[in-house]
Every structure is written in C-alpha cells, then in structure tokens.
Amino acid sequence: MRTIAYRYAARARLVQQVERTTFADTVAGRRVVISSDGGRLRLREPKRGPKTKKGRRRYTGAWREPKVLIVYVVDAEGQRESRFAPFIDATLKGPDAVFALLRTYLQRLEITQADQVLFIADGAPWIWKRVPLLVHALGLTVAQVHELLDFYHAVQRLGQVAALRTDWSAKARTRWRTQQRHLLLQGEVEQVIAAVQALCRGRNSKAIRAQRSYFIKNQSRMAYAKLLGVCPRISVSGSVHPGLTCRFACPDGAGF
C-alpha cells in the first residue's frame, strides 16, 4: 500500500508539472482567500542495520514540517462557496517550493480576474516576505490584494503575554486576554499594543517586548473590523490548521 501511495503521488506530481491544463471553474469577479502554513508530518524512513527477528526492515519516524496551501472562494457574506472546490496542496521542499505551487495554481485560475484576493496567515516571516513577490509575479493590483493576520494566532499571542504576568491569577489573565481580543475585533489595534506596552516591566519585560514587536510588525494586517464590516460571516482565521498534523506519509504528495 505504501509503495502504491508513493508511486501515485510521484506520477500525479509529474502530470501536474508537465500538463498546462486550465481549470473548469473560474474566479472571475469572485472573492478568493489564500492561506499557507507549516505543519507536522511524520515520515517513515528506512533505518540502516540488521532486520528485526521477523525479517522486517527497521525504520525511524522522523518529524518534518510540510508547507501547506489552500485556495478557496467566499461569497459576498464571507461564507465559503460550496460550488468551488478548494485547492489544497503541500510540499516538504520548503517555502519557495510551496509558493511556486501557489503561483502555478493561481495562474491557471487566472487570478487577475478575481474581484478581491485575501491572504490569511500567521506571523511567520517566511510567508509574508514572499507575498509581495507573488503578487507582483501574478500581476495583481494593490486594490485587489488584502493581507490579514490569522486571528487565532493573534489571540494566542495575547495569551502568551498574559501568561508572562506570573503575579496575576488565572482569572486575571483570562480577563485581560478577553478584553484585548474584543479590542482587536473592534479595530483598536493601537490600544492593544499600548496595553502590551504597559506590561513591559519586571522580570519578563524582555519577553513581553518581543510580543509587542509582533503586534507592531503585523499591525497593518489586523483590520478585522474593516473586513467583518464588508464580509460579516467570513472566518478571520486561516483554514489550513485542522489538517496539519499527520503521522506517516509519503515524502512529497500531489495534493489532498
């Protein structure tokens, strides 16, 4: 079964690279959401040395980080369009490889015909430093493209800030995080940054300043209130995360 999976993945990827087919569905005049992230994948790799008593080859279960992408379409309310099958793919060859895959998909979808294009991701530098290059390569206009920091990760960072206040009770940490979460959704990013800045004192001040820098760096990508005002039912978190962890898989798949 494993050999079949390996060979099928290799052939599918080869066909994907050789054939310049166009997709039947179109994104013309539609709102497209693009997300990418890193995951966890456990590879079954042969191990050198003698076989087991049953004559089986030994192996190691090494963890790797695949780079995953997803492309889908939402309607005017921000809900996913069921008529458009999302594109999900992944690679173990690194950031450049996953963005090359993404470029191929978007070119075949004729992404320049889309009404709006939204990139959603966490704060990983490997993603955001490649987005402008991808936008330029695709020929998208500034008016078409929007960037959004994954809301789940932003709130997670707020939790990390609260956890650094060891003099607070668990209830106080939860209350502070909830307050800042509401401010983020209301578009009050500057107030959130000020609240984090106010905590930059004491033994963990250096770690809190690092978290403050995260919010300052990604401030322009936290326009949650503006986005929800236009698309009230859109998810402000990426859609890659639920399928990121797998136990054993082939080295490089050809889409899920």
Side-chain angles (χ1 to χ4, degrees), residues 81-105:
E81 286 194 12
S82 58
R83 294 174 299 172
F84 184 93
F87 292 89
I88 307 174
D89 209 337
T91 179
L92 287 167
K93 296 180 180 178
D96 289 333
V98 76
F99 267 79
L101 274 176
L102 189 54
R103 178 177 175 178
T104 299
Y105 281 124

PDB file of all heavy atoms in Angstrom, residues 81-105:
ATOM      1  N   GLU A  81     -17.995  29.298  -0.775  1.00  0.00           N
ATOM      2  CA  GLU A  81     -18.886  28.872  -1.846  1.00  0.00           C
ATOM      3  C   GLU A  81     -18.723  27.373  -2.050  1.00  0.00           C
ATOM      4  O   GLU A  81     -17.631  26.905  -2.396  1.00  0.00           O
ATOM      5  CB  GLU A  81     -18.580  29.623  -3.141  1.00  0.00           C
ATOM      6  CG  GLU A  81     -19.043  31.073  -3.131  1.00  0.00           C
ATOM      7  CD  GLU A  81     -19.043  31.667  -4.535  1.00  0.00           C
ATOM      8  OE1 GLU A  81     -18.912  30.897  -5.515  1.00  0.00           O
ATOM      9  OE2 GLU A  81     -19.144  32.898  -4.646  1.00  0.00           O
ATOM     10  N   SER A  82     -19.804  26.644  -1.850  1.00  0.00           N
ATOM     11  CA  SER A  82     -19.743  25.191  -1.973  1.00  0.00           C
ATOM     12  C   SER A  82     -19.546  24.744  -3.420  1.00  0.00           C
ATOM     13  O   SER A  82     -19.075  23.631  -3.682  1.00  0.00           O
ATOM     14  CB  SER A  82     -21.027  24.566  -1.415  1.00  0.00           C
ATOM     15  OG  SER A  82     -22.166  25.078  -2.091  1.00  0.00           O
ATOM     16  N   ARG A  83     -19.879  25.607  -4.366  1.00  0.00           N
ATOM     17  CA  ARG A  83     -19.732  25.239  -5.778  1.00  0.00           C
ATOM     18  C   ARG A  83     -18.277  25.242  -6.223  1.00  0.00           C
ATOM     19  O   ARG A  83     -17.946  24.672  -7.257  1.00  0.00           O
ATOM     20  CB  ARG A  83     -20.533  26.203  -6.655  1.00  0.00           C
ATOM     21  CG  ARG A  83     -22.042  26.119  -6.477  1.00  0.00           C
ATOM     22  CD  ARG A  83     -22.735  27.204  -7.257  1.00  0.00           C
ATOM     23  NE  ARG A  83     -22.330  28.530  -6.796  1.00  0.00           N
ATOM     24  CZ  ARG A  83     -22.667  29.674  -7.400  1.00  0.00           C
ATOM     25  NH1 ARG A  83     -23.390  29.642  -8.500  1.00  0.00           N
ATOM     26  NH2 ARG A  83     -22.273  30.831  -6.913  1.00  0.00           N
ATOM     27  N   PHE A  84     -17.412  25.890  -5.450  1.00  0.00           N
ATOM     28  CA  PHE A  84     -15.991  25.964  -5.802  1.00  0.00           C
ATOM     29  C   PHE A  84     -15.215  24.987  -4.917  1.00  0.00           C
ATOM     30  O   PHE A  84     -15.151  25.152  -3.696  1.00  0.00           O
ATOM     31  CB  PHE A  84     -15.463  27.386  -5.605  1.00  0.00           C
ATOM     32  CG  PHE A  84     -14.033  27.571  -6.035  1.00  0.00           C
ATOM     33  CD1 PHE A  84     -13.722  28.008  -7.309  1.00  0.00           C
ATOM     34  CD2 PHE A  84     -12.981  27.318  -5.157  1.00  0.00           C
ATOM     35  CE1 PHE A  84     -12.419  28.195  -7.712  1.00  0.00           C
ATOM     36  CE2 PHE A  84     -11.664  27.489  -5.550  1.00  0.00           C
ATOM     37  CZ  PHE A  84     -11.383  27.923  -6.829  1.00  0.00           C
ATOM     38  N   ALA A  85     -14.639  23.982  -5.522  1.00  0.00           N
ATOM     39  CA  ALA A  85     -13.832  23.019  -4.767  1.00  0.00           C
ATOM     40  C   ALA A  85     -12.491  23.642  -4.419  1.00  0.00           C
ATOM     41  O   ALA A  85     -11.756  24.069  -5.316  1.00  0.00           O
ATOM     42  CB  ALA A  85     -13.620  21.748  -5.591  1.00  0.00           C
ATOM     43  N   PRO A  86     -12.132  23.726  -3.135  1.00  0.00           N
ATOM     44  CA  PRO A  86     -10.866  24.364  -2.752  1.00  0.00           C
ATOM     45  C   PRO A  86      -9.666  23.562  -3.229  1.00  0.00           C
ATOM     46  O   PRO A  86      -9.727  22.343  -3.379  1.00  0.00           O
ATOM     47  CB  PRO A  86     -10.931  24.390  -1.224  1.00  0.00           C
ATOM     48  CG  PRO A  86     -11.858  23.277  -0.869  1.00  0.00           C
ATOM     49  CD  PRO A  86     -12.878  23.219  -1.967  1.00  0.00           C
ATOM     50  N   PHE A  87      -8.569  24.276  -3.462  1.00  0.00           N
ATOM     51  CA  PHE A  87      -7.314  23.639  -3.834  1.00  0.00           C
ATOM     52  C   PHE A  87      -6.444  23.543  -2.584  1.00  0.00           C
ATOM     53  O   PHE A  87      -6.150  24.542  -1.937  1.00  0.00           O
ATOM     54  CB  PHE A  87      -6.586  24.457  -4.908  1.00  0.00           C
ATOM     55  CG  PHE A  87      -7.295  24.461  -6.227  1.00  0.00           C
ATOM     56  CD1 PHE A  87      -8.245  25.425  -6.520  1.00  0.00           C
ATOM     57  CD2 PHE A  87      -7.029  23.488  -7.182  1.00  0.00           C
ATOM     58  CE1 PHE A  87      -8.909  25.424  -7.729  1.00  0.00           C
ATOM     59  CE2 PHE A  87      -7.687  23.480  -8.392  1.00  0.00           C
ATOM     60  CZ  PHE A  87      -8.634  24.452  -8.673  1.00  0.00           C
ATOM     61  N   ILE A  88      -6.049  22.328  -2.238  1.00  0.00           N
ATOM     62  CA  ILE A  88      -5.193  22.086  -1.071  1.00  0.00           C
ATOM     63  C   ILE A  88      -3.993  21.272  -1.531  1.00  0.00           C
ATOM     64  O   ILE A  88      -4.140  20.257  -2.199  1.00  0.00           O
ATOM     65  CB  ILE A  88      -5.945  21.325   0.031  1.00  0.00           C
ATOM     66  CG1 ILE A  88      -7.254  22.041   0.392  1.00  0.00           C
ATOM     67  CG2 ILE A  88      -5.067  21.189   1.278  1.00  0.00           C
ATOM     68  CD1 ILE A  88      -8.121  21.283   1.376  1.00  0.00           C
ATOM     69  N   ASP A  89      -2.805  21.746  -1.188  1.00  0.00           N
ATOM     70  CA  ASP A  89      -1.596  21.041  -1.592  1.00  0.00           C
ATOM     71  C   ASP A  89      -0.519  21.273  -0.538  1.00  0.00           C
ATOM     72  O   ASP A  89      -0.664  22.125   0.341  1.00  0.00           O
ATOM     73  CB  ASP A  89      -1.118  21.537  -2.963  1.00  0.00           C
ATOM     74  CG  ASP A  89      -0.360  20.465  -3.734  1.00  0.00           C
ATOM     75  OD1 ASP A  89       0.160  19.535  -3.088  1.00  0.00           O
ATOM     76  OD2 ASP A  89      -0.270  20.568  -4.973  1.00  0.00           O
ATOM     77  N   ALA A  90       0.552  20.506  -0.631  1.00  0.00           N
ATOM     78  CA  ALA A  90       1.629  20.623   0.344  1.00  0.00           C
ATOM     79  C   ALA A  90       2.924  20.100  -0.251  1.00  0.00           C
ATOM     80  O   ALA A  90       2.923  19.348  -1.227  1.00  0.00           O
ATOM     81  CB  ALA A  90       1.285  19.851   1.616  1.00  0.00           C
ATOM     82  N   THR A  91       4.030  20.516   0.338  1.00  0.00           N
ATOM     83  CA  THR A  91       5.343  20.050  -0.097  1.00  0.00           C
ATOM     84  C   THR A  91       6.296  20.060   1.085  1.00  0.00           C
ATOM     85  O   THR A  91       6.122  20.823   2.045  1.00  0.00           O
ATOM     86  CB  THR A  91       5.905  20.938  -1.228  1.00  0.00           C
ATOM     87  OG1 THR A  91       7.194  20.473  -1.609  1.00  0.00           O
ATOM     88  CG2 THR A  91       6.016  22.385  -0.785  1.00  0.00           C
ATOM     89  N   LEU A  92       7.303  19.208   0.993  1.00  0.00           N
ATOM     90  CA  LEU A  92       8.359  19.173   2.016  1.00  0.00           C
ATOM     91  C   LEU A  92       9.623  19.879   1.538  1.00  0.00           C
ATOM     92  O   LEU A  92      10.653  19.809   2.195  1.00  0.00           O
ATOM     93  CB  LEU A  92       8.682  17.723   2.372  1.00  0.00           C
ATOM     94  CG  LEU A  92       7.639  16.988   3.209  1.00  0.00           C
ATOM     95  CD1 LEU A  92       7.907  15.496   3.229  1.00  0.00           C
ATOM     96  CD2 LEU A  92       7.611  17.531   4.629  1.00  0.00           C
ATOM     97  N   LYS A  93       9.525  20.556   0.414  1.00  0.00           N
ATOM     98  CA  LYS A  93      10.713  21.169  -0.187  1.00  0.00           C
ATOM     99  C   LYS A  93      10.943  22.614   0.237  1.00  0.00           C
ATOM    100  O   LYS A  93      11.815  23.286  -0.308  1.00  0.00           O
ATOM    101  CB  LYS A  93      10.622  21.071  -1.710  1.00  0.00           C
ATOM    102  CG  LYS A  93      10.639  19.627  -2.206  1.00  0.00           C
ATOM    103  CD  LYS A  93      10.553  19.549  -3.709  1.00  0.00           C
ATOM    104  CE  LYS A  93      10.574  18.101  -4.196  1.00  0.00           C
ATOM    105  NZ  LYS A  93      10.439  18.007  -5.678  1.00  0.00           N
ATOM    106  N   GLY A  94      10.155  23.112   1.165  1.00  0.00           N
ATOM    107  CA  GLY A  94      10.429  24.426   1.712  1.00  0.00           C
ATOM    108  C   GLY A  94       9.514  25.533   1.217  1.00  0.00           C
ATOM    109  O   GLY A  94       8.640  25.323   0.369  1.00  0.00           O
ATOM    110  N   PRO A  95       9.709  26.758   1.742  1.00  0.00           N
ATOM    111  CA  PRO A  95       8.853  27.904   1.424  1.00  0.00           C
ATOM    112  C   PRO A  95       8.814  28.262  -0.064  1.00  0.00           C
ATOM    113  O   PRO A  95       7.740  28.533  -0.604  1.00  0.00           O
ATOM    114  CB  PRO A  95       9.474  29.043   2.246  1.00  0.00           C
ATOM    115  CG  PRO A  95      10.196  28.364   3.350  1.00  0.00           C
ATOM    116  CD  PRO A  95      10.712  27.093   2.777  1.00  0.00           C
ATOM    117  N   ASP A  96       9.975  28.279  -0.718  1.00  0.00           N
ATOM    118  CA  ASP A  96       9.997  28.646  -2.132  1.00  0.00           C
ATOM    119  C   ASP A  96       9.186  27.665  -2.963  1.00  0.00           C
ATOM    120  O   ASP A  96       8.490  28.057  -3.908  1.00  0.00           O
ATOM    121  CB  ASP A  96      11.440  28.700  -2.652  1.00  0.00           C
ATOM    122  CG  ASP A  96      12.207  29.889  -2.084  1.00  0.00           C
ATOM    123  OD1 ASP A  96      11.561  30.896  -1.738  1.00  0.00           O
ATOM    124  OD2 ASP A  96      13.449  29.796  -1.976  1.00  0.00           O
ATOM    125  N   ALA A  97       9.254  26.394  -2.607  1.00  0.00           N
ATOM    126  CA  ALA A  97       8.532  25.370  -3.362  1.00  0.00           C
ATOM    127  C   ALA A  97       7.020  25.520  -3.204  1.00  0.00           C
ATOM    128  O   ALA A  97       6.274  25.389  -4.180  1.00  0.00           O
ATOM    129  CB  ALA A  97       8.974  23.977  -2.916  1.00  0.00           C
ATOM    130  N   VAL A  98       6.548  25.808  -1.985  1.00  0.00           N
ATOM    131  CA  VAL A  98       5.107  25.927  -1.791  1.00  0.00           C
ATOM    132  C   VAL A  98       4.576  27.182  -2.475  1.00  0.00           C
ATOM    133  O   VAL A  98       3.459  27.193  -3.015  1.00  0.00           O
ATOM    134  CB  VAL A  98       4.735  25.904  -0.297  1.00  0.00           C
ATOM    135  CG1 VAL A  98       5.043  27.228   0.396  1.00  0.00           C
ATOM    136  CG2 VAL A  98       3.247  25.566  -0.118  1.00  0.00           C
ATOM    137  N   PHE A  99       5.375  28.248  -2.514  1.00  0.00           N
ATOM    138  CA  PHE A  99       4.931  29.456  -3.207  1.00  0.00           C
ATOM    139  C   PHE A  99       4.986  29.278  -4.720  1.00  0.00           C
ATOM    140  O   PHE A  99       4.206  29.895  -5.443  1.00  0.00           O
ATOM    141  CB  PHE A  99       5.750  30.666  -2.758  1.00  0.00           C
ATOM    142  CG  PHE A  99       5.112  31.409  -1.619  1.00  0.00           C
ATOM    143  CD1 PHE A  99       5.222  30.938  -0.317  1.00  0.00           C
ATOM    144  CD2 PHE A  99       4.389  32.569  -1.831  1.00  0.00           C
ATOM    145  CE1 PHE A  99       4.615  31.596   0.744  1.00  0.00           C
ATOM    146  CE2 PHE A  99       3.777  33.246  -0.792  1.00  0.00           C
ATOM    147  CZ  PHE A  99       3.892  32.758   0.509  1.00  0.00           C
ATOM    148  N   ALA A 100       5.900  28.430  -5.191  1.00  0.00           N
ATOM    149  CA  ALA A 100       5.917  28.098  -6.620  1.00  0.00           C
ATOM    150  C   ALA A 100       4.651  27.328  -6.982  1.00  0.00           C
ATOM    151  O   ALA A 100       4.038  27.560  -8.037  1.00  0.00           O
ATOM    152  CB  ALA A 100       7.162  27.284  -6.962  1.00  0.00           C
ATOM    153  N   LEU A 101       4.242  26.390  -6.108  1.00  0.00           N
ATOM    154  CA  LEU A 101       2.991  25.666  -6.310  1.00  0.00           C
ATOM    155  C   LEU A 101       1.805  26.629  -6.324  1.00  0.00           C
ATOM    156  O   LEU A 101       0.921  26.546  -7.182  1.00  0.00           O
ATOM    157  CB  LEU A 101       2.788  24.647  -5.189  1.00  0.00           C
ATOM    158  CG  LEU A 101       3.418  23.260  -5.334  1.00  0.00           C
ATOM    159  CD1 LEU A 101       3.171  22.461  -4.063  1.00  0.00           C
ATOM    160  CD2 LEU A 101       2.861  22.533  -6.534  1.00  0.00           C
ATOM    161  N   LEU A 102       1.811  27.538  -5.362  1.00  0.00           N
ATOM    162  CA  LEU A 102       0.726  28.504  -5.249  1.00  0.00           C
ATOM    163  C   LEU A 102       0.640  29.375  -6.498  1.00  0.00           C
ATOM    164  O   LEU A 102      -0.456  29.634  -7.024  1.00  0.00           O
ATOM    165  CB  LEU A 102       0.943  29.367  -4.012  1.00  0.00           C
ATOM    166  CG  LEU A 102      -0.180  30.299  -3.581  1.00  0.00           C
ATOM    167  CD1 LEU A 102      -1.487  29.536  -3.420  1.00  0.00           C
ATOM    168  CD2 LEU A 102       0.199  31.014  -2.294  1.00  0.00           C
ATOM    169  N   ARG A 103       1.788  29.790  -6.994  1.00  0.00           N
ATOM    170  CA  ARG A 103       1.807  30.609  -8.208  1.00  0.00           C
ATOM    171  C   ARG A 103       1.217  29.837  -9.390  1.00  0.00           C
ATOM    172  O   ARG A 103       0.454  30.396 -10.186  1.00  0.00           O
ATOM    173  CB  ARG A 103       3.246  31.039  -8.515  1.00  0.00           C
ATOM    174  CG  ARG A 103       3.378  31.864  -9.792  1.00  0.00           C
ATOM    175  CD  ARG A 103       4.796  32.321  -9.999  1.00  0.00           C
ATOM    176  NE  ARG A 103       4.949  33.014 -11.268  1.00  0.00           N
ATOM    177  CZ  ARG A 103       6.094  33.557 -11.694  1.00  0.00           C
ATOM    178  NH1 ARG A 103       7.176  33.496 -10.922  1.00  0.00           N
ATOM    179  NH2 ARG A 103       6.141  34.165 -12.863  1.00  0.00           N
ATOM    180  N   THR A 104       1.566  28.559  -9.502  1.00  0.00           N
ATOM    181  CA  THR A 104       1.043  27.728 -10.591  1.00  0.00           C
ATOM    182  C   THR A 104      -0.477  27.635 -10.523  1.00  0.00           C
ATOM    183  O   THR A 104      -1.176  27.826 -11.532  1.00  0.00           O
ATOM    184  CB  THR A 104       1.650  26.312 -10.525  1.00  0.00           C
ATOM    185  OG1 THR A 104       3.066  26.408 -10.679  1.00  0.00           O
ATOM    186  CG2 THR A 104       1.083  25.428 -11.625  1.00  0.00           C
ATOM    187  N   TYR A 105      -1.004  27.339  -9.342  1.00  0.00           N
ATOM    188  CA  TYR A 105      -2.455  27.240  -9.183  1.00  0.00           C
ATOM    189  C   TYR A 105      -3.141  28.559  -9.538  1.00  0.00           C
ATOM    190  O   TYR A 105      -4.159  28.577 -10.249  1.00  0.00           O
ATOM    191  CB  TYR A 105      -2.798  26.852  -7.745  1.00  0.00           C
ATOM    192  CG  TYR A 105      -2.632  25.383  -7.436  1.00  0.00           C
ATOM    193  CD1 TYR A 105      -1.812  24.961  -6.396  1.00  0.00           C
ATOM    194  CD2 TYR A 105      -3.312  24.411  -8.176  1.00  0.00           C
ATOM    195  CE1 TYR A 105      -1.660  23.614  -6.100  1.00  0.00           C
ATOM    196  CE2 TYR A 105      -3.167  23.063  -7.880  1.00  0.00           C
ATOM    197  CZ  TYR A 105      -2.337  22.671  -6.849  1.00  0.00           C
ATOM    198  OH  TYR A 105      -2.200  21.338  -6.559  1.00  0.00           O
TER     199      TYR A 105
END
